[in-house]
Amino acid sequence: MAESIFGYPLRRFFLSNPPIFREWSGSTALLDWHESSNAHIFKINVPGFSKDEIKVQVEDGNILHIKGECEKEETHAKDTILHVAERGNRKGNFSRVIELPENVKVDQIKAHVENGVLTVTVPKDASFKSPKFRNINVTSKL
């Protein structure tokens, strides 16, 4: 989303420092992102999905991609009449893409699903040194 508004190279100038969502799928997989002193914790609503239907991947070094894929469920037998269909045809697919901060240990990410909530824990790297800033002297001639 931000790439389409500001372009990839400019997004850090216009957006605040927590990493941004690169894509919003409009899915019903609602997300909470908590940060503790030692980890980033993502909690995502995934009701009805089994652990085999959820994929958590790291792409391009720091892009967390969480997706759920499933086949549609038959809601009723062939010889029955469907009067109300508010739940839809099962849960549908979802995809969430999140750019992780630089100070994380992507090789130690853990994920588990319980009671319709997927929890992804991304540990922080305590030894990470943020880039230091230095002032550049401005002169009238080069």
Side-chain angles (χ1 to χ4, degrees), residues 12 17 101-104 125 127-135:
R12 292 267 183 206
N17 192 13
E102 295 175 350
N103 66 335
V104 297
D125 186 358
S127 64
F128 177 77
K129 304 271 189 207
S130 64
K132 293 186 179 183
F133 293 97
R134 69 180 186 109
N135 290 324

Side-chain angles (χ1 to χ4, degrees), residues 5 21 34 42 53 60 69 113 126:
I5 297 172
F21 296 100
H34 303 273
F42 301 93
E53 296 171 323
D60 299 328
E69 298 174 345
V113 65

Side-chain angles (χ1 to χ4, degrees), residues 4 21 33 46-47 49 51 54-55 64 67 88 104 126:
S4 63
F21 296 100
W33 181 350
V46 292
F49 281 90
K51 67 181 183 84
I54 299 170
K55 302 283 186 256
L64 183 65
K67 56 186 165 184
V104 297

Side-chain angles (χ1 to χ4, degrees), residues 74-89:
E74 279 296 319
T75 55
H76 60 282
K78 301 266 185 230
D79 61 344
T80 62
I81 299 171
L82 180 63
H83 291 284
V84 179
E86 294 178 342
R87 298 184 315 126
N89 291 334

Side-chain angles (χ1 to χ4, degrees), residues 46 49-51 54 111-119:
V46 292
F49 281 90
S50 71
K51 67 181 183 84
I54 299 170
H112 74 276
V113 65
E114 184 177 351
N115 296 328
V117 177
L118 172 68
T119 303

